[in-house]
Amino acid sequence: MSGQGYNAPTGDAAGSGSRNFDADPPTVMHYICGDCASRVRLEKGQPIRCGLCGARVLYKERTKRMVQFEAR
């Protein structure tokens, strides 16, 4: 080895292709009820249950941002 130590990347790389994600996840999430198909808003720690019909099968909404995968 050349004697140079490892330099950890810094978090202030503005134009180097790194993405900035929030460190804290959102505390409010939106789900779709499996029975009545209504949009359910849940906060952290709240019971997983539809407010309209009482069903406990909730599906996570699809993301609005573009997701792209590279196939080989």
Side-chain angles (χ1 to χ4, degrees):
M1 306 256 348
S2 65
Q4 294 179 350
Y6 173 73
N7 293 330
T10 60
D12 60 343
S16 66
S18 65
R19 295 183 181 167
N20 294 330
F21 293 106
D22 293 332
D24 297 329
T27 57
V28 177
M29 295 292 296
H30 294 278
Y31 296 91
I32 304 293
C33 177
D35 286 349
C36 67
S38 65
R39 191 170 189 228
V40 180
R41 180 179 182 255
L42 291 179
E43 295 182 11
K44 186 175 180 179
Q46 198 173 7
I48 302 171
R49 187 174 290 264
C50 176
L52 296 176
C53 68
R56 291 191 277 174
V57 178
L58 300 177
Y59 298 102
K60 192 172 183 178
E61 283 188 333
R62 178 172 267 192
T63 182
K64 305 263 190 299
R65 69 181 174 107
M66 187 179 91
V67 178
Q68 183 176 0
F69 298 101
E70 182 179 332
R72 291 185 173 196

